[in-house]
């Protein structure tokens, strides 16, 4: 039997043509699918408008977001009134913004006031209460919930000076928003007296230590030392030791200049007029040397008035006067 070559060639050509067409169709189909997937990806999720939920209760706000296919990211914050508790204070993005479905919306929810009842402040020191209220404000994110009415009423009493002896609102009263506290504070006993300690003959350092513990009022005076006197020493005082005086009566204390000073060193008298206080407050004098070293010179409870303290420091030292840890005055030794 003879094989017809022309028939075989036709058969092969037909099948090859069908194969090429099939491959081309497959390539076109894959291309169409890829393009479709690309455009679906580019189009992204469905867009939606952010609803306004500020001022609404949390549950209602969550339901509105759910309808819009949006998801919450919650933050808690104290507010100025207990009536806000559980309600939305802020939202981000703001209402009316167009976003993709599935977007997270930041909601700030009030957890009410940080305290809900007035504390019992009676028998506490007014300065400690001030510090506590400042700490409370910082904890509450800067919200001023409790403030002290100024000026404070001071009365003489048997309680230590600075002690709160009455308050309004009463302890345990409910707090629903910013509240003003009214205090009556002890001025100490009326006509309080002290016994003048023996200062004559003491060095300046020892005299300052004794003054800080006895609570007397004081006024330092400097003088050149005589031949028979020691330097930097108390050589006289008025009134004399063991004299009973009113706590407000200043004791004049005369101190001699030093026998010799080191190079670049100054001995002088720090002098600053502190406003009068209703009772003695903690006052501190410190020295900040040019080297950066900080040292305490004197700490005392002081009513106010002309505050004088001897010092011996290197030129360029900063003398820093503080009351209740608040700087009142700063001056540099040897600066004119």
């Amino acid at each position: 039997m003879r094989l017809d070559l022309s028939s075989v060639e036709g058969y092969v050509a037909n099948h090859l043509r069908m194969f090429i067409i099939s491959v081309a169709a497959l390539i076109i189909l894959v291309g169409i699918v890829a393009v479709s997937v690309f455009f679906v990806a580019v189009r992204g999720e469905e867009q939606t408008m952010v609803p306004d939920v500020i001022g609404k209760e949390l549950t209602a706000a969550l339901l509105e977001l759910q309808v819009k296919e949006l998801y919450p990211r919650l933050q808690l914050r104290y507010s100025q009134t207990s009536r806000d508790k559980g309600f939305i204070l802020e939202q981000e993005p703001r209402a009316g913004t167009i976003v993709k479905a599935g977007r997270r919306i930041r909601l700030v929810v009030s957890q009410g006031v940080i305290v809900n009842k007035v504390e019992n402040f009676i028998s506490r020191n007014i300065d400690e209460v001030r510090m506590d209220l400042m700490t409370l404000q910082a904890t509450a994110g800067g919200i001023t919930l409790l403030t002290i009415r100024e000026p404070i009423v001071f009365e003489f009493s048997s309680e230590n000076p600075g002690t709160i002896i009455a308050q309004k609102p009463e302890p345990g009263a409910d707090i629903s928003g910013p509240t003003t506290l009214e205090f009556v504070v002890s001025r100490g006993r009326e006509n309080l007296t002290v016994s003048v300690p023996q200062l004559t003959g003491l060095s300046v350092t020892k005299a300052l230590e004794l003054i800080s513990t006895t609570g007397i009022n004081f006024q330092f005076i400097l003088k050149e030392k005589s031949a028979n006197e020691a330097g930097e020493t108390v050589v006289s005082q008025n009134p004399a030791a063991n004299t009973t005086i009113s706590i407000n009566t200043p004791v004049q204390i005369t101190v001699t200049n030093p026998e010799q000073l080191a190079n670049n060193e100054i001995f002088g008298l720090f002098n600053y007029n502190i406003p009068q206080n209703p009772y003695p407050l903690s006052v501190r004098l410190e020295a900040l040397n040019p080297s950066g070293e900080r040292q305490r010179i004197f700490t005392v409870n002081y009513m106010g008035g002309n505050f004088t303290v001897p010092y011996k420091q290197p030129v360029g030292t900063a003398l820093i006067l503080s009351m209740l840890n608040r700087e009142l005055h700063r001056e540099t030794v040897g600066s004119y």
Side-chain angles (χ1 to χ4, degrees):
M1 177 185 293
R2 292 185 58 190
L3 182 64
D4 189 348
L5 293 178
S6 60
S7 298
V8 171
E9 289 176 353
Y11 178 80
V12 171
N14 288 336
H15 279 75
L16 180 61
R17 186 164 49 253
M18 291 297 296
F19 175 77
I20 292 173
I21 292 173
S22 298
V23 171
L26 181 61
I27 292 174
I28 293 173
L29 178 61
V30 170
I32 293 173
V33 171
V35 171
S36 299
V37 170
F38 171 77
F39 281 107
V40 169
V42 168
R43 187 182 64 182
E45 300 89 346
E46 181 181 353
Q47 292 185 328
T48 186
M49 179 181 294
V50 177
D52 184 2
V53 296
I54 293 178
K56 296 184 178 180
E57 199 270 333
L58 177 60
T59 303
L62 295 180
L63 289 175
E64 286 199 36
L65 293 182
Q66 183 177 342
V67 170
K68 297 288 187 177
E69 297 187 13
L70 299 172
Y71 300 96
R73 186 173 71 248
L74 301 181
Q75 294 181 356
L76 298 179
R77 192 177 74 189
Y78 291 110
S79 59
Q80 291 188 333
T81 171
S82 59
R83 293 187 295 272
D84 288 340
K85 187 173 183 179
F87 287 80
I88 309 301
L89 301 176
E90 297 176 8
Q91 71 175 73
E92 179 64 35
R94 60 185 177 82
T97 304
I98 303 298
V99 298
K100 292 180 180 179
R103 169 75 180 269
R104 289 198 176 275
I105 308 299
R106 183 178 68 90
L107 302 180
V108 179
V109 185
S110 170
Q111 53 183 334
V113 293
I114 192 170
V115 291
N116 55 15
K117 290 187 181 297
V118 176
E119 182 183 341
N120 185 2
F121 296 103
I122 295 174
S123 298
R124 294 190 57 190
N125 183 274
I126 181 63
D127 300 317
E128 294 177 356
V129 171
R130 289 185 192 276
M131 295 299 296
D132 286 352
L133 294 184
M134 290 176 61
T135 302
L136 177 65
Q137 180 178 349
T139 305
I143 295 175
T144 304
L145 187 61
L146 296 174
T147 56
I148 299 175
R149 184 181 298 279
E150 302 286 354
I152 293 175
V153 176
F154 290 91
E155 294 182 358
F156 290 109
S157 79
S158 59
E159 298 290 338
N160 291 330
T163 302
I164 297 172
I165 56 179
Q167 73 175 72
K168 186 179 179 181
E170 297 292 332
D174 291 333
I175 295 176
S176 60
T179 302
T180 300
L181 301 170
E182 299 181 27
F183 292 138
V184 178
V185 177
S186 172
R187 192 187 290 269
R189 294 190 298 274
E190 192 171 7
N191 301 322
L192 187 63
T193 60
V194 293
S195 178
V196 179
Q198 176 67 49
L199 299 170
T200 302
L202 298 180
S203 67
V204 171
T205 302
K206 293 293 185 183
L208 291 176
E209 290 178 359
L210 186 55
I211 291 171
S212 67
T213 60
T214 56
I216 65 169
N217 199 346
F218 55 91
Q219 183 74 45
F220 279 96
I221 301 171
L222 300 186
K223 70 177 287 287
E224 293 294 334
K225 80 176 202 67
S226 61
N228 60 344
E229 292 176 333
E232 297 180 66
T233 302
V234 178
V235 293
S236 68
Q237 65 180 78
N238 184 31
N242 302 318
T243 303
T244 300
I245 61 173
S246 167
I247 195 171
N248 295 324
T249 302
V251 178
Q252 291 189 344
I253 307 166
T254 302
V255 173
T256 55
N257 289 326
E259 296 181 8
Q260 187 175 0
L261 287 171
N263 291 335
N264 204 36
E265 195 172 46
I266 291 180
F267 183 82
L269 187 67
F270 178 85
N271 193 327
Y272 184 79
N273 188 36
I274 297 177
Q276 287 290 335
N277 301 305
Y279 62 94
L281 298 179
S282 178
V283 176
R284 182 177 67 250
L285 181 64
E286 296 176 293
L288 180 61
N289 294 331
S291 62
E293 178 186 2
R294 193 172 185 128
Q295 65 180 107
R296 179 181 64 84
I297 298 176
F298 186 42
T299 301
V300 68
N301 290 329
Y302 198 67
M303 286 283 294
N306 199 29
F307 185 79
T308 56
V309 178
Y311 66 84
K312 184 171 69 173
Q313 297 292 333
V315 172
T317 296
L319 299 178
I320 305 169
L321 180 68
S322 303
M323 175 181 289
L324 297 177
N325 296 319
R326 180 176 63 87
E327 185 173 320
L328 292 180
H329 178 70
R330 178 184 295 231
E331 64 182 54
T332 302
V333 170
S335 177
Y336 300 101

